Amino acid sequence: MKWWQNAVVYQVYPRSFQDSNGDGIGDIPGITSRLDYLEELGIDAIWLSPVYASPNDDNGYDISDYQAIHPEFGTMEDMDELIAEGEKRGIRIVMDLVVNHTSDEHNWFVEARKSKDNAYRDYYIWRDPVDGQAPNDLTSAFNGSAWTFDEDSGQYYLHLFSRKQPDLNWENERMRQDVYKMMNFWLDKGVGGFRLDVIDLIGKLPDEKLTANGPKLHDYLKEMHEHTLKGRDVMTVGETWSATPDSAKLYSDPARNELSMVFQFEHMMLDEQPGKTKWDLKELDLVEWKQALSKWQVAFKEDGWNSLFWNNHDTPRVVSRWGNDDTYRIESAKCFAILLHLMKGTPYIYQGEEIGMTNRIITSIDEVDDIESRNMYHERLEQGYSKEEILHAINVKGRDNARTPVQWDSSEHAGFTTGKPWLAVQPNYTSINVEQALSDKESVFHTYKQLIQLRKDHPAIVWGDYILLLPDNPNVFAYERQYQGEKWVVLASISDEKQKVSLDDMPTEYEVMVTNYNRSAVDWNSVDLNPYEAFAVRAGEIN
Ligand code: TEU
Ligand code: CA
């Protein structure tokens, strides 16, 4: 067994986690000061969103120096201390590796744009104009063309994200070797591994308008493994919006020596209109959603591994997205926790999720920081959408939802900072905060803590086979886990209304392992479920 197979990972978005010096920006000493809290929660690793030098066009996902810490976040000594203090508490630090692109202020790009024959020119992707225009109509994820014209050299460079995020040219061997060197710098410091940003894009063929899953993608990952990860006890998780169960096997089959696992996004895209963008909203069909998640649960035997998550720094908060963040905030937050943490794979918790933090509501674009939302706003205004429609989409899907500061206590600015927070703290911090959660045994936090411990204590949760129950029920998500004669049954009602279900072949003797409504018994022929009720029982030849 690998350490990450029964681990739970916690994602820290450093800008919003904890400020230590009153400048309103979360920082590394702030994270270190909260390690005791994370130890109490019981997590094994932190996925740390980028803390490297960056002009912050995309909040750190535009890196100008991979081996320097952004002064806003602290120093390399602070980083070393975080790694060391984490280690003392059994918490590994998994770095965010953003190597599909750099910042345009990275020295490689500064050099590259100096002239066509610069030694770094080929580290990036340049094309001549075609009929005085961009080479083709590839678009950037942040709106507009993916090509920007460089006046001085008369060529276009490719950027699948903002124009300040030029794409690296993975065809260039020297560039690849420089990336591996940089990775080894971090691995030698003792980090726990990497989360690889949009890694499915590195094999792109821009001339053929092929971005994800290019022909050499897996060769590059194998080469990367050979030069960096081989022989090291670290975890890697690729961010792959394009992943299918088949492609996920290519990444995560241990025999192939690529990555430990990938993030797949199938279940995250079902509340948007097919073929359109994340902003084109559609109601979630729970049956379809259950099927998507279940497909991934049964996809791997010995040849792959799943990651499990409801949200991250790019997505809305789960309790607001699919739960009810008003009347049933606590119940629904626990419900989604129970549902996810008893599945097969490595669970990820996004900061604040463990206390049931909610989306925020904005009424003006001036309140928005995120480049993705801002660009979309202006583009859609021009296309004739109404302000109200666009702001509604941002409230539902915008990335700032996840980026408001963590709510630590009920003091001013939620204990996040003594200064002015870079992004406003949500007004509900007075009741939703860590201090409250720790003191209340019935809080969302305590359910997360319990679920993390259950995973440690019960191999059935880590290894058991998954079987979907009640596949056609549009309100209740039910599944079974089976492992060496042991059986777990998990029921979760994703509904504001009471629900009733009946299940066959259920154990008569069982123990209720976790519940969000103090349930102690189940009548399988007629299970009455309260709004967002979730529970799990354990039964079988338990040794
Ligand atoms: O996200 C990849 C990505 O495709 C996002 O743009 C995603 O489509 C969008 O945010 C969903 O709302 C990664 C990082 O997680 C994101 O924060 C970065 O902005 C992006 O890469 C570029 O590095
Ligand atoms: Ca700070």
Side-chain angles (χ1 to χ4, degrees), residues 11 13 47 49-50 57-62 96-101 141-142 160-162 165 195-201 239-241 265 269 272 278-279 312-316 370-372 397-399 403:
Q11 184 188 353
Y13 191 71
W47 152 23
S49 276
D57 189 52
D58 185 20
N59 279 357
Y61 283 89
D62 49 319
D96 213 315
L97 187 73
V98 188
V99 290
N100 173 69
H101 45 268
F142 298 155
L160 295 179
F161 295 90
S162 97
Q165 292 168 297
R195 174 265 187 186
L196 296 90
D197 193 62
V198 290
I199 202 67
D200 54 347
L201 304 182
E239 187 207 20
T240 55
W241 282 77
F265 291 86
M269 296 191 283
E272 65 197 37
K278 67 184 256 185
W279 308 110
N312 62 32
H313 65 295
D314 292 332
T315 69
D370 173 32
I371 182 172
E372 184 189 46
K397 283 287 195 67
R399 304 199 296 183
R403 299 180 181 183

Side-chain angles (χ1 to χ4, degrees), residues 274-321:
K276 296 204 178 167
T277 76
K278 67 184 256 185
W279 308 110
D280 301 297
L281 313 175
K282 164 188 149 204
E283 208 175 322
L284 186 70
D285 176 338
L286 200 82
V287 171
E288 191 186 12
W289 189 74
K290 293 196 305 191
Q291 237 137 37
L293 284 157
S294 300
K295 180 171 85 185
W296 283 87
Q297 283 293 294
V298 300
F300 310 117
K301 293 269 182 275
E302 303 298 310
D303 53 355
W305 193 255
N306 253 318
S307 63
L308 305 169
F309 70 100
W310 291 143
N311 36 215
N312 62 32
H313 65 295
D314 292 332
T315 69
R317 297 250 176 211
V318 65
V319 67
S320 303
R321 185 176 191 174

Side-chain angles (χ1 to χ4, degrees), residues 19 21 23 25 27:
D19 179 21
N21 62 353
D23 66 356
I25 297 170
D27 46 47

Side-chain angles (χ1 to χ4, degrees), residues 202-275:
I202 64 172
K204 68 188 72 75
L205 297 177
D207 303 307
E208 291 163 41
K209 296 200 269 179
L210 176 75
T211 53
N213 300 311
K216 292 202 193 144
L217 167 61
H218 293 282
D219 294 340
Y220 295 146
L221 290 174
K222 286 203 175 70
E223 183 188 82
M224 176 190 281
H225 188 282
E226 181 66 28
H227 285 86
T228 62
L229 306 168
K230 192 176 167 182
R232 307 206 199 230
D233 189 19
V234 295
M235 64 162 271
T236 47
V237 52
E239 187 207 20
T240 55
W241 282 77
S242 67
T244 62
D246 284 340
S247 75
K249 278 180 200 169
L250 301 180
Y251 294 106
S252 69
D253 180 351
R256 291 173 52 89
N257 292 319
E258 296 187 20
L259 304 176
S260 313
M261 64 190 113
V262 292
F263 290 124
Q264 64 86 10
F265 291 86
E266 246 187 277
H267 63 293
M268 301 293 282
M269 296 191 283
L270 295 176
D271 54 9
E272 65 197 37
Q273 297 166 35

Side-chain angles (χ1 to χ4, degrees), residues 117 185 238 342 394 413-414:
D117 52 14
F185 165 85
L342 298 177
I394 293 175
H413 304 311

Side-chain angles (χ1 to χ4, degrees), residues 480 487-489 504-511 522 524 537-540:
E480 222 172 84
K487 175 157 145 169
W488 289 62
V489 183
D504 299 327
D505 293 327
M506 287 292 123
T508 46
E509 278 180 46
Y510 52 80
E511 191 185 345
V522 197
W524 296 112
V537 306
R538 171 175 177 252

